[in-house]
Amino acid sequence: MRFNEDAVTPISERWLRPIGFALILVGLAIIVGSLLICIEMLFPIYLRLWRQAPIVETVYPAFFMIAGLLLGPVTLLGGFHGLLFRKPLTSRSPVWFKIALWLFKVGAVLMIVVGPALAIGTTAALAAMDYQTCSQLRRSGSGWQVFWVKNDGFCFRPDSYIEDNWPCKDMNGKTYCLRADGL
């Protein structure tokens, strides 16, 4: 069964420019958010693995955010098309639609295939490098966050955290913090 575009009630032309502008803002937010999540949560994992850091923190939903780097431009493309041409992005605008469809397909592959493969590969690399999970380091309510430790001595229940989730323990009236970045 084919989709009949003529059966759909068209959006009034006066609403296409505001909707296009809103889609551009949403697309930019998706791209910036995905980029920030990749920079803040994914890249440090691999830097810490390379440095053989004592603690590696993984936030597994971040692996799926790489899809936003291509799904955001799809939204941008639809927004620009609505803003410039006052028409929705449909298969009747062949060049734009083909580009958007290709970006959407690649973004879906990133989310369905590459994201899980990166998460599984990272977990396998951590296990192969003799890291062990430590649930004691995890903050309350952070179910998707997993801490991996290189040494059992680094697995303890922290009294506080500083900076980049570095755990701290209070002993004899002093606070000792473990630098988790491997420097």
Side-chain angles (χ1 to χ4, degrees), residues 2 10 12 59 78 90 92 97 102 104 109-110 119 123 129-130 175:
R2 287 192 56 105
S12 173
V59 181
T90 63
R92 291 187 183 154
F97 187 76
W102 180 81
F104 183 78
V109 168
L110 283 173
T123 303
M129 295 175 73
D130 293 327
T175 302

Side-chain angles (χ1 to χ4, degrees), residues 1 27 67 77 114-115 122 137 146 150 182:
M1 178 177 192
L77 196 60
V114 176
T122 302
L137 286 174
V146 178
K150 190 81 166 166

Side-chain angles (χ1 to χ4, degrees), residues 47-161:
L47 289 174
R48 288 178 178 164
L49 277 175
W50 181 64
R51 288 191 223 140
Q52 305 252 336
I55 299 174
V56 176
E57 173 194 11
T58 57
V59 181
Y60 283 101
F63 289 101
F64 298 95
M65 292 306 295
I66 60 170
L69 297 174
L70 286 179
L71 295 178
V74 172
T75 310
L76 274 177
L77 196 60
F80 276 122
H81 192 271
L83 189 66
L84 296 175
F85 301 116
R86 282 193 168 178
K87 294 179 184 176
L89 185 60
T90 63
S91 59
R92 291 187 183 154
S93 43
V95 174
W96 294 88
F97 187 76
K98 285 181 182 178
I99 293 170
L101 187 62
W102 180 81
L103 286 170
F104 183 78
K105 286 179 181 178
V106 174
V109 168
L110 283 173
M111 185 182 297
I112 295 169
V113 177
V114 176
L118 270 176
I120 291 168
T122 302
T123 303
L126 284 161
M129 295 175 73
D130 293 327
Y131 282 91
Q132 301 164 357
T133 60
C134 177
S135 61
Q136 292 177 355
L137 286 174
R138 188 173 57 204
R139 288 186 175 149
S140 176
S142 58
W144 291 98
Q145 179 185 34
V146 178
F147 282 96
W148 296 79
V149 296
K150 190 81 166 166
N151 182 329
D152 286 337
F154 297 133
C155 191
F156 58 92
R157 184 162 308 281
D159 296 318
S160 61
Y161 294 87

